[in-house]
């Protein structure tokens, strides 16, 4: 009987450790999601800046410097 009780305690301890590990993994997963969202947001900002810079270059090629001020102002805001 004492051996069965000991086995039950070991099983309970193992389950407790597994729950704790799952909670750690869940926490790490949430942190990774936050970091991924931050990287995605930064990537979106970089892409927006690159698009504006391309617009500036196109405006310079087509119209000289007359229409460059609008995209340049947008670039400052981003």
């Amino acid at each position: 009987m004492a051996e069965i009780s000991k086995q039950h305690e070991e099983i309970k301890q193992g389950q407790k450790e597994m729950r704790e590990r799952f909670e750690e993994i869940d926490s790490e997963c949430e942190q990774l999601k936050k970091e991924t969202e931050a990287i995605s947001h930064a990537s979106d900002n970089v892409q927006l800046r690159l698009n504006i810079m391309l617009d500036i270059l196109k405006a310079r090629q087509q119209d000289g410097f007359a229409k460059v001020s609008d995209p340049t102002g947008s670039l400052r805001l981003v």
Side-chain angles (χ1 to χ4, degrees), residues 58-70:
K58 287 180 181 177
R60 284 183 180 173
Q61 287 176 344
Q62 294 174 354
D63 304 313
F65 292 95
K67 291 188 177 180
V68 174
S69 65
D70 289 340

Side-chain angles (χ1 to χ4, degrees), residues 27-43:
S27 176
E28 291 173 4
C29 184
E30 286 299 317
Q31 182 64 29
L32 286 173
K33 284 180 184 178
K34 289 177 183 178
E35 290 175 9
T36 301
E37 288 174 3
I39 291 169
S40 178
H41 182 68
S43 176

Side-chain angles (χ1 to χ4, degrees), residues 9-47:
E9 287 300 318
E10 290 174 357
I11 291 171
K12 286 181 183 179
Q13 181 63 29
Q15 289 174 337
K16 179 182 176 185
E17 291 172 3
M18 291 299 291
R19 271 194 305 275
E20 289 172 355
R21 182 65 185 131
F22 279 124
E23 289 173 2
E24 289 174 14
I25 291 171
D26 190 44
S27 176
E28 291 173 4
C29 184
E30 286 299 317
Q31 182 64 29
L32 286 173
K33 284 180 184 178
K34 289 177 183 178
E35 290 175 9
T36 301
E37 288 174 3
I39 291 169
S40 178
H41 182 68
S43 176
D44 291 344
N45 285 340
V46 168
Q47 185 63 48

Side-chain angles (χ1 to χ4, degrees), residues 47-62:
Q47 185 63 48
L48 180 60
R49 287 176 183 259
L50 289 173
N51 288 339
I52 293 171
M53 287 183 212
L54 182 61
D55 290 343
I56 291 170
L57 289 174
K58 287 180 181 177
R60 284 183 180 173
Q61 287 176 344
Q62 294 174 354

